[in-house]
Amino acid sequence: GDDRDYLCGAADIHESDILFQMRVRDMYAAQCAADPSFIRIDCPDENGNMLPPELLEASEAGNDAKTKLLKEAFKAREARKTLDSASYKAFIKANENWLLPYSVYCALRDENGTPVFSDWGEYAKYSAKKAKEYRDSHADEVEFHCFVQYHLDKQMKEMVAYAHSRGVAFKGDLPIGVSRTSVDAWCNPRLFNM
């Protein structure tokens, strides 16, 4: 069968070990954080013109400018409507197993100015309890990253639906390696022999 049959559990591809096959399917189908540099920002200036493309290029300056605009959008009164919406709350609930550790990781990375979590003092080793305490005491910083992921998810779903309506299919892949300073390594170092 094709990958869709495999992901739904209706067909085997190569693996004969059922448990291994289930783990691979779960990893393959699991949602992961999207890179914020992919977010589309529709920000008209005071004359109604879109920001110049060079400002939003995927470069350090572009990403810094994009992050600044996203933080401004998050602080705006209109963002409260998103945070209070049923769709936002459903997104958080459906994705909390990866979204909350990811958002705490991002907030700690930003606070410490480095993704090298061994430099994060009491947060150098991941603990769900400490992550929850941090989330509770740094709610805005953590919520910002959830807000960005919500909008990325929405935009990507719209893009995929548009592509599918035009007969274009997307195929995902599994990462082979992982950064030693990633949220995955922070939360599950034993999986990466760290």
Side-chain angles (χ1 to χ4, degrees), residues 25-34 90-99 102 149-150 152-154 156-157 174 184:
R25 184 174 54 243
D26 289 346
M27 285 180 4
Y28 191 65
Q31 289 205 358
C32 300
F91 173 78
I92 298 296
K93 184 165 179 56
N95 297 286
E96 64 188 346
N97 65 326
W98 67 264
L99 181 60
Y102 168 81
Q149 288 299 310
Y150 169 76
L152 275 162
D153 182 72
K154 237 175 105 171
M156 288 187 172
K157 284 181 178 169
L174 288 172
D184 300 304

Side-chain angles (χ1 to χ4, degrees), residues 36 101-111 120 141 145 183 186:
Y102 168 81
S103 298
V104 168
Y105 167 88
C106 289
L108 282 163
R109 177 201 62 208
D110 296 349
E111 178 183 313
W120 293 355
E141 293 85 348
H145 294 285
V183 65
W186 182 53

Side-chain angles (χ1 to χ4, degrees), residues 5-105:
D5 291 336
Y6 175 62
L7 290 173
C8 294
D12 291 342
I13 291 187
H14 302 295
E15 296 79 20
S16 59
D17 178 342
I18 298 295
L19 292 176
F20 177 75
Q21 185 182 37
M22 288 172 29
R23 284 196 312 267
V24 169
R25 184 174 54 243
D26 289 346
M27 285 180 4
Y28 191 65
Q31 289 205 358
C32 300
D35 185 333
S37 67
F38 292 122
I39 200 165
R40 182 188 76 236
I41 301 180
D42 299 323
C43 296
D45 65 14
E46 63 276 1
N47 299 317
N49 301 314
M50 297 305 288
L51 291 170
E54 61 272 10
L55 181 62
L56 299 177
E57 285 178 359
S59 66
E60 280 304 309
N63 284 337
D64 289 347
K66 195 177 274 194
T67 299
K68 182 179 179 208
L69 291 170
L70 287 167
K71 286 187 178 186
E72 288 173 15
F74 178 71
K75 290 177 187 173
R77 221 171 6 137
E78 293 299 311
R80 191 77 246 163
K81 288 180 187 175
T82 297
L83 301 177
D84 291 336
S85 72
S87 62
Y88 180 79
K89 290 176 182 177
F91 173 78
I92 298 296
K93 184 165 179 56
N95 297 286
E96 64 188 346
N97 65 326
W98 67 264
L99 181 60
L100 298 179
Y102 168 81
S103 298
V104 168
Y105 167 88

